[in-house]
Amino acid sequence: MVATLVAAGALAVPAAPAAAALPTAAVALGDSFISGEGAGSYQPVVDVNGVAQGFPGWSAANSNAYFCHRSANASLLQASLPGIADRYNLACSGGRPADFTAPSSARDKGRAVAAQLDQLRAVAQTHDIDLVLIGLGSNNSSFTFGDVAEKCANRFIADAWTGWWEFWAYLNGPVEQSPCSAADLATAAQYAAAQAETITAVRQLLVTLDQVDADHQHRVVFQDYTNPLPFDLDPSYWEADGRQDDRDKFRELGAVRYAAGCPIHRASLAAGHLFSQGLGTLVQNVRNTMATEFPSADLVFLDVQHAFDGARLCEHPGSPAGALATPIRLQDGPTGTFVTSLSGKDKIAIERIANTCASYFQTCQESWHPTAAGQAVLARCLNTAAVTPARAVTCTRQPDGTILTT
């Protein structure tokens, strides 16, 4: 009888309530094209010590967490993502594969933020992660997008303002005056090394997601890169004062192209597109390698190489108006005032302005990145990648400005 009563009492105990489902989240990881560099409306960023850093001033150290430049206009925050309750932009301008597992402050030119996977783990404590957007590959131990852009723009400016008998007094050393070649930007060996680094980082990401995601159901979108410059400049930017950029000294033309946002040799443009195409191949190879290693993972490649077609800098007269990428803009010292015209400035003034970018990279780091409107286009590309049953999505801007995803 006692046993019967005990059993009956046990049956009468009410069951514990089921654990409440966590709110869903979409997370962005990676570098500047994902963080929203160039799109403005930058939000405070929590540094490696847990302190939120707002704008620290133009003369502050570029390692400050704020200069991750996490924009409220980043594509993840503009995208329409049904079923997603909250969004977290954990990407950082200048982000490299090593930053996934170690604080970026642990390396040269890194920002003072925690490892991106540690930030992801923190999100997973309060949210069910359903979507991860990755932009990774343009910065690594072999090359960085910023260095590539700086190299080609500086060659053009040096060529425009100095003669063959003069030198360009640049803080980082002598500057060539010839157009960039593909080998100047990245070699086959460098692409291979960059791909290996990126695979290592993404492998650790997928392992981490399997460990921390509440329901173990998540899509990972691998976005590649779009070139801010056209395959050729509009003819209105070919010549000024009777000189093209294959002449010795062409200051007026240099000023015209700088004002339009594209201080670049026409002969450098093909190399630049080979570079961006190489990055696209790298990203796709990383996605495919991970799909083989993690056959049950939901991995989608998002090709945005042509997302800015017809709306690149200097693709039409009147640039930078209407372009989806930010023009190159410099400051004369860390003043906060951008120099929009180099017309009438002599070589000494141009060198001083260029050296400001070298000393205070935050004064020029937005250059040649997607604008807020450009991020809105990338958001429309992401809309499809987030829900498609396909394993790859190509996003193309049509001549009428509409965005086609296939």
Side-chain angles (χ1 to χ4, degrees):
M1 181 180 296
V2 171
T4 302
L5 290 173
V6 170
L11 290 174
V13 174
L22 294 174
T24 56
V27 178
L29 301 170
D31 59 29
S32 57
F33 277 72
I34 297 297
S35 75
E37 181 70 81
S41 297
Y42 303 121
Q43 303 169 315
V45 176
V46 175
D47 67 16
V48 71
N49 297 313
V51 178
Q53 297 289 338
F55 177 57
W58 288 107
S59 61
N62 188 247
S63 59
N64 189 284
Y66 176 82
F67 295 122
C68 281
H69 274 178
R70 292 174 178 167
S71 173
N73 297 316
S75 63
L76 184 81
L77 303 182
Q78 294 198 62
S80 174
L81 303 174
I84 296 297
D86 297 302
R87 308 170 194 219
Y88 293 87
N89 184 356
L90 308 181
C92 186
S93 185
R96 301 186 187 184
D99 299 347
F100 270 32
T101 55
S104 65
S105 54
R107 62 167 174 80
D108 180 47
K109 296 183 179 180
R111 305 231 154 79
V113 291
Q116 291 192 26
L117 293 189
D118 285 346
Q119 297 176 63
L120 177 71
R121 291 184 183 97
V123 173
Q125 291 179 5
T126 58
H127 287 75
D128 172 19
I129 298 172
D130 278 357
L131 179 70
V132 177
L133 172 64
I134 302 177
L136 200 64
S138 70
N139 304 314
N140 49 78
S141 59
S142 296
F143 55 79
T144 71
F145 171 79
D147 287 344
V148 165
E150 181 181 0
K151 178 184 295 185
C152 297
N154 261 309
R155 287 188 179 193
F156 173 80
I157 295 296
D159 198 14
W161 265 268
T162 61
W164 62 267
W165 65 93
E166 299 176 278
F167 71 94
W168 182 252
Y170 190 62
L171 290 179
N172 287 339
V175 177
E176 292 186 37
Q177 298 182 28
S178 58
C180 285
S181 69
D184 289 325
L185 308 185
T187 65
Q190 288 174 324
Y191 280 122
Q195 181 171 303
E197 286 182 32
T198 307
I199 285 173
T200 297
V202 174
R203 180 185 293 120
Q204 188 58 54
L205 164 65
L206 297 182
V207 170
T208 300
L209 282 169
D210 284 341
Q211 294 170 345
V212 304
D213 182 28
D215 62 2
H216 304 286
Q217 301 294 318
H218 43 260
R219 168 163 292 190
V220 180
V221 176
F222 295 72
Q223 180 185 297
D224 70 351
Y225 301 87
T226 187
N227 198 305
L229 301 172
F231 287 91
D232 198 0
L233 308 180
D234 183 83
S236 60
Y237 304 110
W238 288 5
E239 181 177 300
D241 193 30
R243 289 176 176 261
Q244 297 196 10
D245 64 18
D246 56 357
R247 294 282 301 273
D248 187 48
K249 274 193 177 181
F250 40 88
R251 292 184 178 184
E252 286 198 25
L253 179 60
V256 165
R257 288 192 192 165
Y258 176 85
C262 55
I264 191 82
H265 289 96
R266 286 178 64 201
S268 294
L269 293 171
H273 278 274
L274 287 174
F275 177 69
S276 56
Q277 290 162 13
L279 293 178
T281 299
L282 183 158
V283 174
Q284 187 168 30
N285 287 346
V286 171
R287 181 267 162 202
N288 292 344
T289 299
M290 292 297 95
T292 299
E293 290 190 21
F294 298 82
S296 62
D298 184 3
L299 311 179
V300 176
F301 171 60
L302 175 56
D303 178 354
V304 297
Q305 295 273 320
H306 295 283
F308 290 4
D309 281 4
R312 295 185 173 97
L313 290 162
C314 299
E315 195 160 13
H316 300 290
S319 181
L324 294 174
T326 56
I328 279 193
R329 285 294 177 258
L330 308 174
Q331 295 180 19
D332 193 354
T335 63
T337 301
F338 289 105
V339 177
T340 57
S341 174
L342 300 180
S343 181
K345 291 182 168 30
D346 61 20
K347 186 187 77 168
I348 302 302
I350 301 298
E351 287 176 335
R352 183 183 65 248
I353 292 167
N355 282 331
T356 296
C357 179
S359 298
Y360 306 94
F361 184 61
Q362 60 271 20
T363 62
C364 62
Q365 72 181 48
E366 293 180 301
S367 300
W368 284 352
H369 284 83
T371 62
Q375 288 287 341
V377 169
L378 297 176
R380 293 168 66 184
C381 302
L382 178 59
N383 291 345
T384 299
V387 299
T388 182
R391 299 297 83 195
V393 173
T394 298
C395 190
T396 306
R397 184 179 184 276
Q398 303 299 296
D400 63 359
T402 59
I403 306 301
L404 176 66
T405 53
T406 56

